[in-house]
Amino acid sequence: MPLLTEDQGFLNVKLVSDPVFANDYLSFPMDGSFSISGKTPTGNTDFPKMPVFVNSINGKQAQSQVFVSEHTLNSALDTLANAGFLSFPTEVSSTYLKTFFSNFEEVYGHHEKIKIILETETAPRIDIKQGISSLDGEATLRFLNPFNDEYEAVMMRCNLTAEVEFELLHDFTLVGDIKNMTLSVTAFEAYFQTSVTLPHINTQVESLAGPFAQVVNYELASGYRLPIPARQSRELSQTRLFTYAHFLMVESDPQITTRVRAKALKMTNHIEQKINNLFLEN
């Protein structure tokens, strides 16, 4: 399912400069930023520098190239954060929480399912690099009160970092796989009496990073479909993804030969049928 409905967000595809005409290619520089309906960014945007064409690595001339910048991906994260989509819940037992707070069950009793929510305080930022890209941001960990989940039992403020590996799925859908997530607690508040210190919290919180990385990957698995019209995408093959400093490139080759051949055959059959009909009439 898409992360945003048509009423919640849109992609700006307006040209940011005149098309670039060259001897062997034509390029259209587009904005590519996301925003929420009714909250279109104002003012000038400092667009990142990207090439309009990259010579193929294997020497074969590519027929289609789509560039995706950090600006596009970070504006998508801004939109998701503003729409409240960067909130990821999981459940643990109160026995597990005793590793953080030894007296947790003395205060709240034993519970098999206590909800913990990881959510961003500000939109995280992606830094695209050749090979492994990175993501960082500020987040909160909310341990909800097992008797009334409108209140927290514990609130933690964290710095979040992770590695991101990009992958291109079918139908030109771009996804980022979160790996090696780390959480570092900068402050916490427990709404019950405890002698736990911040250093102790940080020795335990890393055990939550792996499970939350799995939750984030599951929630964001639908990815972002590149704005390539369906008809054109069906006529592109051998699609490959490259990562450069601060932008991604998707390269494809056309497969229009089959379609053109089929249309030519259909036209030939049509002409032959017309000729046969003329002979039969005479």
Side-chain angles (χ1 to χ4, degrees), residues 31-80:
D31 182 307
S33 61
F34 288 82
S35 58
I36 295 177
S37 300
K39 297 183 179 180
T40 305
T42 57
N44 296 325
T45 301
D46 184 18
F47 291 103
K49 292 183 178 180
M50 290 192 305
V52 294
F53 180 76
V54 173
N55 288 324
S56 182
I57 294 175
N58 57 16
K60 182 180 179 181
Q61 190 79 333
Q63 301 299 315
S64 170
Q65 292 180 341
V66 177
F67 299 92
V68 182
S69 71
E70 280 179 6
H71 168 72
T72 290
L73 297 183
N74 285 325
S75 69
L77 289 174
D78 282 334
T79 302
L80 290 171

Side-chain angles (χ1 to χ4, degrees), residues 8-265:
Q8 293 173 314
F10 63 92
L11 173 66
N12 189 340
V13 294
K14 72 178 181 181
L15 291 174
V16 296
S17 70
D18 293 333
V20 178
F21 294 89
N23 292 333
D24 52 358
Y25 66 86
L26 169 63
S27 180
F28 296 93
M30 296 186 298
D31 182 307
S33 61
F34 288 82
S35 58
I36 295 177
S37 300
K39 297 183 179 180
T40 305
T42 57
N44 296 325
T45 301
D46 184 18
F47 291 103
K49 292 183 178 180
M50 290 192 305
V52 294
F53 180 76
V54 173
N55 288 324
S56 182
I57 294 175
N58 57 16
K60 182 180 179 181
Q61 190 79 333
Q63 301 299 315
S64 170
Q65 292 180 341
V66 177
F67 299 92
V68 182
S69 71
E70 280 179 6
H71 168 72
T72 290
L73 297 183
N74 285 325
S75 69
L77 289 174
D78 282 334
T79 302
L80 290 171
N82 290 332
F85 279 87
L86 298 184
S87 178
F88 308 99
T90 191
E91 292 179 333
V92 299
S93 71
S94 57
T95 302
Y96 169 75
L97 290 184
K98 287 175 65 177
T99 62
F100 287 84
F101 305 94
S102 59
N103 66 330
F104 190 89
E105 289 189 338
E106 294 177 18
V107 176
Y108 292 102
H110 179 76
H111 299 269
E112 288 299 325
K113 293 183 178 181
I114 295 179
K115 184 178 287 187
I116 305 178
I117 301 175
L118 173 69
E119 53 191 4
T120 58
E121 284 201 310
T122 57
R125 315 312 294 170
I126 288 178
D127 182 11
I128 300 176
K129 304 171 185 175
Q130 285 187 302
I132 304 297
S133 300
S134 62
L135 176 145
D136 64 83
E138 297 178 350
T140 58
L141 271 174
R142 298 167 52 218
F143 297 67
L144 301 189
N145 188 315
F147 297 110
N148 187 343
D149 62 10
E150 292 184 2
Y151 298 93
E152 292 88 19
V154 181
M155 168 78 82
M156 298 181 184
R157 287 178 172 80
C158 309
N159 290 328
L160 180 154
T161 61
E163 295 177 348
V164 184
E165 288 189 5
F166 292 101
E167 183 181 1
L168 195 68
L169 304 182
H170 69 282
D171 204 22
F172 290 88
T173 298
L174 181 68
V175 296
D177 187 27
I178 302 297
K179 296 184 176 182
N180 298 324
M181 179 188 288
T182 62
L183 295 170
S184 175
V185 180
T186 57
F188 78 97
E189 295 176 81
Y191 300 104
F192 56 92
Q193 188 172 357
T194 179
S195 59
V196 170
T197 62
L198 188 61
H200 173 76
I201 291 292
N202 272 309
T203 62
Q204 302 299 323
V205 75
E206 276 303 304
S207 63
L208 286 173
F212 269 116
Q214 294 179 2
V215 173
V216 171
N217 284 330
Y218 176 79
E219 294 293 333
L220 301 181
S222 58
Y224 155 57
R225 188 180 182 282
L226 298 178
I228 299 174
R231 178 164 181 169
Q232 279 77 4
S233 67
R234 289 194 297 268
E235 296 182 348
L236 294 173
S237 64
Q238 300 181 24
T239 301
R240 47 233 177 244
L241 176 68
F242 299 94
T243 58
Y244 294 90
H246 308 304
F247 70 91
L248 306 172
M249 183 184 76
V250 178
E251 188 175 80
S252 303
D253 299 321
Q255 53 178 10
I256 64 173
T257 304
T258 302
R259 179 173 63 86
V260 172
R261 190 174 292 159
K263 285 195 172 184
L265 180 61

